[in-house]
Amino acid sequence: MKERLPREVIAMRIARELFDGAVVNLGIGIPTMVCNFIPEGITVIYHTENGALGFGPVVTAEEFEERADIDLINAGGQFVTPLPGMCFFHHADSFGMIRGGHIDITILGVIQVSEEGDLANWMTPGRGVGNIGGGMDLAFNVRRVIAATEHITKGGKPKIVKQCSVPLTAPRCVDLIVTDVAVIEVGKEGLVLREFAPGWTVEEIQSITEPKLIVADDLKEIEL
Amino acid sequence: MKERLPREVIAMRIARELFDGAVVNLGIGIPTMVCNFIPEGITVIYHTENGALGFGPVVTAEEFEERADIDLINAGGQFVTPLPGMCFFHHADSFGMIRGGHIDITILGVIQVSEEGDLANWMTPGRGVGNIGGGMDLAFNVRRVIAATEHITKGGKPKIVKQCSVPLTAPRCVDLIVTDVAVIEVGKEGLVLREFAPGWTVEEIQSITEPKLIVADDLKEIEL
Amino acid sequence: MINKIIETFEEAVADITDGAVIMIGNFAGPGGFPYYLIQALKKQGAGNLTIVANTAGGIKIPGVLLDFDDHGILFENKQVRKVIANFPFSLSPTHLSPAEKQVNAGEVELELVPQGTMAERIRCGAVGVPAFYTPTGFGTVIADGKEVRYFDGRPHLLEHAIRADYALIRAYKSDRMGNLVYRGTMRQFNPIMAMNARVTIAEVDEVVEIGEIDPEVVVTPGIFVNRIVRIKDDPGFPRHLERSFWVRDSEAI
Amino acid sequence: MINKIIETFEEAVADITDGAVIMIGNFAGPGGFPYYLIQALKKQGAGNLTIVANTAGGIKIPGVLLDFDDHGILFENKQVRKVIANFPFSLSPTHLSPAEKQVNAGEVELELVPQGTMAERIRCGAVGVPAFYTPTGFGTVIADGKEVRYFDGRPHLLEHAIRADYALIRAYKSDRMGNLVYRGTMRQFNPIMAMNARVTIAEVDEVVEIGEIDPEVVVTPGIFVNRIVRIKDDPGFPRHLERSFWVRDSEAI
């Protein structure tokens, strides 16, 4: 099988979906990396569930001693930095922003995503338990949901499936799936293959994708 | 008929119902006067619907030029003064305090109040229209509702009635009625006459009160 | 670069169309009221509007309330089809407001709402809650036609969210991202209306640089605000902007 | 004179009885967490508690989250009967929390709630709204047994308010009336829990004189707070209290 794109490149591709002034909530994992690849000249306003908007980058290991502060963290518990123009609020207001449709884009990790855009990303398979956290509110209510994921599991099984076999986070919520081999749009007629990783053919991508893919008229190689 | 107490004395009597730390919302009219008669050594925290707690007295005519500021008003549109320890909030939080039972006492004006504590104080009789304002939220939700009123209308009709004939503000909400001739508690068995104005007999008070009054065992003259 | 500053009030309200639902920050006088935006909306002329505000405007009570041109001018100008308010009538039967006359004549529809229910319906519209139960109003005219449900033995009414196309609001300071702070009781309905509307337009005393507002102090996060216009001429209401309401010493009163 | 300052954490939690419902300010680490009040509650020993908090405590992920004694110690100490949380399990299947073990063993009941629904249920409990409809959860396990209702063609679940006997919260500064300010993301659930509980107990870094807090900046009005205890010993988490998060100059980053 061909080489798959590294996680950083998935994040880089997703960064292109952001626009100036976009209000964005990043899930844990690949999504968090997206903020490292925002195009020049674009201001993205990050939202974190625990009550901040417009904060800056994560504190690096070198800055830890000097800058890490338990009173300025993101939803993943990472220390972040202040920026001019940011603000703070409480949890009910924070999820009011989410439920009220005031967040433009959320980028979420995936356990499975279905043909119809159903997302499952909270219940750890095998363990039988899971943390719902704020993911369900995001998946149900944010205007545009982008799923960031490896195309197949470590065991080689498709993560893009006809129907999710694990408990859902939200039905019919995903708008775009960006994987390590393809960019797939969730359309009314089904999944539309829009972009492919360098060297991959439609057939190869289809072979590791459970539902039938519709090939976009303007199918192209992933641009970064 | 005997002399009736002036409005200031009704306010003075009601002020005795307040306690140290009480959170109080005053309606328009006699209720507003209550703040002028708070006993020494007691701190009362005033709440106003338009989003302030712990503000100070109304700006006097002499102070107007110097102190009146449209950005510091009470629910009656009066200019008020700042105090240390006060705070501001928006309308949803303000009525959250009211609906959530966080206001200890409200003092409201009266068009009619019934035997069972039903309060009618918003629909102007004869005019067929009225302003509900914040009075309905207060009457329904504040722990202790004190009705401040003249005992009879200007036309000489009882304001304390068996059943209200004008649209209600809230059913069974009033706890205490303080008038210009009596202090009446709304009890489970009916209206209990607790205090009388100087010179008034039980019979005289009953004669201008529609429902039958229960006379308290410890009936006494109004103390101020 | 995010920059929501608009030069003129006219420009800020230019796209408001006939039939729009408009929330207006308003409470007992000119404090926290978007005076110039309302003037501009009158001039702009959009009709058939639904107004959501504390009052229906034009309540003149000589000697009690300041007499000024509030959103009553939109009624005078026949721009309003419906008003959702809790305090729509003048206190005086001899000084009827334009809205009251039009409601009486059947020209304007009035939806009368308790103030707290109105505030919560606005907040719910802002935060994606379509309906909620409240104790306020059971057993009164407010309950007419509404679903009643008991919780813990107490009757409650089902009330629905209100959503607006535009919110015309008033704040004290803004930066170009739209982060807003207010002053004293200026807040009233403004922050929840700002959260609610599809397009929120704020009239402010001052526009400051990004970073000039302490992040702990922002009341309305900029993401809720679409357009900001700075007031150029003081309309002359009693105010003391040079003085804060922060009284540090209790002896100073 | 209103004075809500209590000298010791022990005294502040002394009256908590078996079976109480307790909200705890908590989110991904020690920020905004009432560390000393939880220690005192463990020592006090009340049992059969219902805990309402973001996590069920005791989530240790070496190298990711700071390892410290959070409300996991109440589970360890067998004081908990039920927990309402949205993030109750460790991310690592090899580092199970005390709560997870007890839930698995059927010793503790778990009510799993989406985070936003939890926040709104807490706020509704605070503001007298017994129930509300939310889109979140329809078509998932969260919908099991819940009433479904359509608004504008979209399915919603009926969710009920949560009420607490006690809220153990964390704030930055307080005056003796209980007016609270926070610091950065310390707010999280603290302000809405403070509004909710019958008795709210706040652990704060500083107690200041009345009037030292700007009235525009108060996040939790004092009427919601019953008891305040000042922290005497810094528990040693990474913090820089000498520095505010107010960055005035974008070049300073």
Side-chain angles (χ1 to χ4, degrees), chain A residues 14 18 23-28 31 34 47 49 98 103-109 119 121 134-148 173-176:
Chain A
I14 291 173
L18 308 187
V23 184
V24 177
N25 185 298
L26 304 176
I28 300 173
V34 172
H47 172 269
E49 287 98 309
I98 294 172
I103 311 297
D104 295 311
I105 297 171
T106 189
I107 302 161
L108 296 173
L119 176 68
N121 78 347
M136 203 174 262
D137 301 274
L138 288 163
F140 266 90
N141 299 301
V142 172
R143 286 187 211 153
R144 184 163 163 81
V145 175
I146 300 177
C173 64
V174 175
D175 298 288
L176 191 74

Short mmCIF file of all heavy atoms in Angstrom, two decimals, chain A residues 14 18 23-28 31 34 47 49 98 103-109 119 121 134-148 173-176:
data_model
loop_
_atom_site.label_atom_id
_atom_site.label_comp_id
_atom_site.label_asym_id
_atom_site.label_seq_id
_atom_site.Cartn_x
_atom_site.Cartn_y
_atom_site.Cartn_z
N ILE A 14 -6.53 20.63 6.81
CA ILE A 14 -7.73 21.16 7.49
C ILE A 14 -7.59 22.66 7.71
O ILE A 14 -8.57 23.41 7.60
CB ILE A 14 -7.97 20.42 8.82
CG1 ILE A 14 -8.40 18.97 8.53
CG2 ILE A 14 -9.05 21.13 9.64
CD1 ILE A 14 -8.49 18.10 9.75
N LEU A 18 -10.15 26.96 7.17
CA LEU A 18 -10.45 28.09 8.06
C LEU A 18 -10.42 29.40 7.29
O LEU A 18 -9.79 29.48 6.24
CB LEU A 18 -9.45 28.10 9.22
CG LEU A 18 -9.31 26.77 9.97
CD1 LEU A 18 -8.42 26.92 11.18
CD2 LEU A 18 -10.67 26.20 10.36
N VAL A 23 -14.57 31.37 13.99
CA VAL A 23 -14.57 30.97 15.40
C VAL A 23 -14.50 29.45 15.41
O VAL A 23 -15.39 28.79 14.86
CB VAL A 23 -15.83 31.47 16.11
CG1 VAL A 23 -15.76 31.13 17.60
CG2 VAL A 23 -16.01 32.97 15.89
N VAL A 24 -13.43 28.93 15.99
CA VAL A 24 -13.09 27.52 15.79
C VAL A 24 -12.88 26.82 17.13
O VAL A 24 -12.25 27.36 18.03
CB VAL A 24 -11.80 27.42 14.95
CG1 VAL A 24 -11.36 25.97 14.79
CG2 VAL A 24 -12.01 28.06 13.59
N ASN A 25 -13.42 25.61 17.24
CA ASN A 25 -13.17 24.79 18.42
C ASN A 25 -12.45 23.52 17.96
O ASN A 25 -12.95 22.80 17.10
CB ASN A 25 -14.48 24.44 19.13
CG ASN A 25 -14.23 23.70 20.43
OD1 ASN A 25 -13.67 22.61 20.43
ND2 ASN A 25 -14.65 24.28 21.54
N LEU A 26 -11.30 23.27 18.55
CA LEU A 26 -10.48 22.12 18.16
C LEU A 26 -10.60 21.00 19.19
O LEU A 26 -10.38 21.23 20.38
CB LEU A 26 -9.01 22.54 18.07
CG LEU A 26 -8.67 23.71 17.15
CD1 LEU A 26 -7.19 24.05 17.26
CD2 LEU A 26 -9.04 23.39 15.71
N GLY A 27 -10.92 19.80 18.74
CA GLY A 27 -10.92 18.65 19.62
C GLY A 27 -9.49 18.24 19.97
O GLY A 27 -8.52 18.87 19.55
N ILE A 28 -9.37 17.17 20.74
CA ILE A 28 -8.05 16.69 21.17
C ILE A 28 -7.45 15.81 20.07
O ILE A 28 -8.16 15.12 19.37
CB ILE A 28 -8.20 15.91 22.50
CG1 ILE A 28 -8.81 16.83 23.57
CG2 ILE A 28 -6.86 15.37 22.97
CD1 ILE A 28 -9.17 16.13 24.87
N PRO A 31 -6.81 17.43 15.67
CA PRO A 31 -7.40 18.78 15.60
C PRO A 31 -6.54 19.85 16.26
O PRO A 31 -6.37 20.94 15.72
CB PRO A 31 -8.74 18.60 16.31
CG PRO A 31 -9.11 17.18 16.05
CD PRO A 31 -7.81 16.43 16.09
N VAL A 34 -4.00 21.69 14.24
CA VAL A 34 -4.41 22.57 13.14
C VAL A 34 -3.93 23.99 13.36
O VAL A 34 -3.52 24.68 12.42
CB VAL A 34 -5.95 22.52 12.94
CG1 VAL A 34 -6.41 23.57 11.95
CG2 VAL A 34 -6.37 21.12 12.49
N HIS A 47 -12.01 28.90 20.40
CA HIS A 47 -12.96 28.77 21.52
C HIS A 47 -12.58 27.52 22.29
O HIS A 47 -12.27 26.48 21.70
CB HIS A 47 -14.38 28.60 20.95
CG HIS A 47 -15.41 28.27 22.00
ND1 HIS A 47 -15.72 26.96 22.34
CD2 HIS A 47 -16.18 29.06 22.78
CE1 HIS A 47 -16.65 26.97 23.28
NE2 HIS A 47 -16.95 28.22 23.57
N GLU A 49 -14.03 25.06 25.54
CA GLU A 49 -15.22 24.79 26.34
C GLU A 49 -15.15 25.39 27.74
O GLU A 49 -16.16 25.79 28.30
CB GLU A 49 -15.44 23.27 26.51
CG GLU A 49 -15.93 22.57 25.28
CD GLU A 49 -14.82 21.91 24.51
OE1 GLU A 49 -13.81 22.60 24.23
OE2 GLU A 49 -14.95 20.73 24.16
N ILE A 98 -21.82 27.33 21.81
CA ILE A 98 -21.81 26.13 20.99
C ILE A 98 -23.23 25.77 20.56
O ILE A 98 -23.53 25.66 19.37
CB ILE A 98 -21.18 24.94 21.77
CG1 ILE A 98 -19.70 25.22 22.04
CG2 ILE A 98 -21.37 23.63 21.02
CD1 ILE A 98 -19.03 24.23 22.98
N ILE A 103 -20.34 29.02 16.96
CA ILE A 103 -19.02 28.52 16.58
C ILE A 103 -19.10 28.11 15.10
O ILE A 103 -20.02 27.38 14.71
CB ILE A 103 -18.61 27.30 17.45
CG1 ILE A 103 -18.82 27.60 18.94
CG2 ILE A 103 -17.18 26.88 17.15
CD1 ILE A 103 -18.00 28.71 19.50
N ASP A 104 -18.18 28.60 14.29
CA ASP A 104 -18.24 28.36 12.85
C ASP A 104 -17.81 26.95 12.48
O ASP A 104 -18.41 26.32 11.61
CB ASP A 104 -17.35 29.36 12.10
CG ASP A 104 -17.84 30.79 12.25
OD1 ASP A 104 -19.04 31.01 12.03
OD2 ASP A 104 -17.04 31.66 12.61
N ILE A 105 -16.73 26.50 13.07
CA ILE A 105 -16.13 25.23 12.66
C ILE A 105 -15.63 24.48 13.89
O ILE A 105 -15.02 25.07 14.78
CB ILE A 105 -14.91 25.49 11.72
CG1 ILE A 105 -15.36 26.18 10.43
CG2 ILE A 105 -14.17 24.18 11.42
CD1 ILE A 105 -14.20 26.65 9.56
N THR A 106 -15.90 23.18 13.93
CA THR A 106 -15.24 22.36 14.93
C THR A 106 -14.53 21.22 14.22
O THR A 106 -15.01 20.72 13.20
CB THR A 106 -16.20 21.83 16.02
OG1 THR A 106 -15.41 21.21 17.05
CG2 THR A 106 -17.18 20.81 15.47
N ILE A 107 -13.39 20.84 14.74
CA ILE A 107 -12.61 19.76 14.14
C ILE A 107 -12.52 18.67 15.19
O ILE A 107 -12.06 18.91 16.31
CB ILE A 107 -11.22 20.28 13.73
CG1 ILE A 107 -11.43 21.44 12.74
CG2 ILE A 107 -10.40 19.17 13.11
CD1 ILE A 107 -10.24 22.34 12.59
N LEU A 108 -13.02 17.50 14.84
CA LEU A 108 -13.15 16.44 15.84
C LEU A 108 -12.45 15.17 15.39
O LEU A 108 -12.37 14.88 14.20
CB LEU A 108 -14.64 16.15 16.08
CG LEU A 108 -15.47 17.30 16.67
CD1 LEU A 108 -16.95 16.95 16.70
CD2 LEU A 108 -14.98 17.66 18.07
N GLY A 109 -11.96 14.43 16.35
CA GLY A 109 -11.39 13.12 16.09
C GLY A 109 -12.49 12.10 15.81
O GLY A 109 -13.68 12.39 15.97
N LEU A 119 -21.28 10.51 13.37
CA LEU A 119 -19.95 10.49 13.98
C LEU A 119 -19.99 9.67 15.28
O LEU A 119 -20.90 9.84 16.10
CB LEU A 119 -19.49 11.91 14.30
CG LEU A 119 -18.14 12.03 15.04
CD1 LEU A 119 -16.98 11.59 14.14
CD2 LEU A 119 -17.92 13.45 15.53
N ASN A 121 -17.23 9.02 18.27
CA ASN A 121 -15.85 9.31 18.70
C ASN A 121 -15.67 9.35 20.21
O ASN A 121 -14.68 9.90 20.69
CB ASN A 121 -15.34 10.60 18.05
CG ASN A 121 -15.88 11.85 18.72
OD1 ASN A 121 -16.80 11.81 19.52
ND2 ASN A 121 -15.29 12.99 18.39
N GLY A 134 -17.39 17.49 25.97
CA GLY A 134 -18.11 18.51 25.21
C GLY A 134 -18.30 18.13 23.76
O GLY A 134 -18.88 18.88 22.98
N GLY A 135 -17.82 16.96 23.38
CA GLY A 135 -17.84 16.57 21.97
C GLY A 135 -19.23 16.44 21.39
O GLY A 135 -19.48 16.78 20.23
N MET A 136 -20.15 15.92 22.19
CA MET A 136 -21.52 15.74 21.70
C MET A 136 -22.16 17.09 21.39
O MET A 136 -22.80 17.27 20.35
CB MET A 136 -22.32 14.95 22.73
CG MET A 136 -23.51 14.23 22.17
SD MET A 136 -24.33 13.19 23.42
CE MET A 136 -23.63 11.58 23.04
N ASP A 137 -21.98 18.06 22.29
CA ASP A 137 -22.53 19.40 22.05
C ASP A 137 -21.93 20.01 20.78
O ASP A 137 -22.64 20.64 20.00
CB ASP A 137 -22.23 20.31 23.25
CG ASP A 137 -22.82 19.75 24.53
OD1 ASP A 137 -23.99 20.03 24.80
OD2 ASP A 137 -22.11 19.02 25.24
N LEU A 138 -20.64 19.81 20.60
CA LEU A 138 -19.98 20.35 19.40
C LEU A 138 -20.51 19.67 18.14
O LEU A 138 -20.89 20.33 17.17
CB LEU A 138 -18.46 20.14 19.50
CG LEU A 138 -17.73 21.03 20.51
CD1 LEU A 138 -16.35 20.46 20.83
CD2 LEU A 138 -17.63 22.47 20.00
N ALA A 139 -20.57 18.35 18.14
CA ALA A 139 -20.98 17.62 16.95
C ALA A 139 -22.42 17.95 16.57
O ALA A 139 -22.75 18.07 15.39
CB ALA A 139 -20.82 16.12 17.18
N PHE A 140 -23.29 18.13 17.56
CA PHE A 140 -24.69 18.43 17.28
C PHE A 140 -24.91 19.85 16.79
O PHE A 140 -25.84 20.10 16.03
CB PHE A 140 -25.54 18.23 18.54
CG PHE A 140 -26.16 16.87 18.66
CD1 PHE A 140 -25.48 15.84 19.29
CD2 PHE A 140 -27.41 16.60 18.13
CE1 PHE A 140 -26.04 14.57 19.40
CE2 PHE A 140 -27.99 15.35 18.23
CZ PHE A 140 -27.30 14.32 18.86
N ASN A 141 -24.10 20.79 17.24
CA ASN A 141 -24.51 22.18 17.15
C ASN A 141 -23.61 23.13 16.36
O ASN A 141 -24.04 24.23 16.04
CB ASN A 141 -24.70 22.74 18.56
CG ASN A 141 -25.78 22.00 19.33
OD1 ASN A 141 -26.93 21.95 18.90
ND2 ASN A 141 -25.40 21.40 20.44
N VAL A 142 -22.39 22.73 16.10
CA VAL A 142 -21.52 23.64 15.38
C VAL A 142 -21.87 23.60 13.89
O VAL A 142 -22.17 22.54 13.34
CB VAL A 142 -20.04 23.28 15.63
CG1 VAL A 142 -19.12 24.10 14.72
CG2 VAL A 142 -19.69 23.54 17.09
N ARG A 143 -21.82 24.75 13.25
CA ARG A 143 -22.25 24.87 11.85
C ARG A 143 -21.56 23.89 10.92
O ARG A 143 -22.17 23.25 10.09
CB ARG A 143 -21.98 26.29 11.35
CG ARG A 143 -22.95 27.30 11.93
CD ARG A 143 -22.76 28.67 11.31
NE ARG A 143 -23.10 29.68 12.30
CZ ARG A 143 -22.61 30.89 12.33
NH1 ARG A 143 -21.73 31.28 11.42
NH2 ARG A 143 -22.98 31.74 13.26
N ARG A 144 -20.22 23.81 11.05
CA ARG A 144 -19.46 22.96 10.14
C ARG A 144 -18.58 22.04 10.97
O ARG A 144 -17.75 22.50 11.76
CB ARG A 144 -18.62 23.85 9.23
CG ARG A 144 -17.84 23.11 8.14
CD ARG A 144 -17.40 24.11 7.06
NE ARG A 144 -16.36 23.58 6.22
CZ ARG A 144 -16.57 22.75 5.19
NH1 ARG A 144 -17.79 22.37 4.90
NH2 ARG A 144 -15.56 22.31 4.47
N VAL A 145 -18.79 20.73 10.79
CA VAL A 145 -18.03 19.74 11.55
C VAL A 145 -17.06 19.05 10.60
O VAL A 145 -17.46 18.46 9.60
CB VAL A 145 -18.98 18.70 12.20
CG1 VAL A 145 -18.18 17.60 12.90
CG2 VAL A 145 -19.94 19.37 13.18
N ILE A 146 -15.78 19.15 10.93
CA ILE A 146 -14.75 18.49 10.12
C ILE A 146 -14.17 17.34 10.94
O ILE A 146 -13.76 17.53 12.08
CB ILE A 146 -13.63 19.49 9.74
CG1 ILE A 146 -14.23 20.65 8.92
CG2 ILE A 146 -12.52 18.79 8.95
CD1 ILE A 146 -13.24 21.74 8.54
N ALA A 147 -14.19 16.15 10.34
CA ALA A 147 -13.65 14.98 11.01
C ALA A 147 -12.22 14.78 10.55
O ALA A 147 -11.94 14.77 9.35
CB ALA A 147 -14.49 13.75 10.68
N ALA A 148 -11.31 14.66 11.51
CA ALA A 148 -9.88 14.49 11.21
C ALA A 148 -9.48 13.10 11.67
O ALA A 148 -9.62 12.79 12.85
CB ALA A 148 -9.07 15.55 11.95
N CYS A 173 -23.87 14.61 11.31
CA CYS A 173 -23.29 15.89 11.72
C CYS A 173 -22.05 16.27 10.93
O CYS A 173 -21.73 17.45 10.81
CB CYS A 173 -22.97 15.86 13.21
SG CYS A 173 -21.70 14.65 13.65
N VAL A 174 -21.34 15.29 10.37
CA VAL A 174 -20.05 15.59 9.75
C VAL A 174 -20.25 16.18 8.36
O VAL A 174 -21.06 15.68 7.57
CB VAL A 174 -19.18 14.32 9.66
CG1 VAL A 174 -17.88 14.60 8.90
CG2 VAL A 174 -18.88 13.78 11.05
N ASP A 175 -19.52 17.25 8.06
CA ASP A 175 -19.58 17.88 6.75
C ASP A 175 -18.42 17.48 5.86
O ASP A 175 -18.57 17.36 4.65
CB ASP A 175 -19.59 19.41 6.92
CG ASP A 175 -20.80 19.88 7.68
OD1 ASP A 175 -21.90 19.83 7.11
OD2 ASP A 175 -20.66 20.26 8.86
N LEU A 176 -17.25 17.32 6.47
CA LEU A 176 -16.04 17.02 5.69
C LEU A 176 -15.18 16.05 6.48
O LEU A 176 -15.04 16.18 7.70
CB LEU A 176 -15.27 18.32 5.44
CG LEU A 176 -14.13 18.25 4.42
CD1 LEU A 176 -14.69 18.17 3.00
CD2 LEU A 176 -13.21 19.46 4.56
#
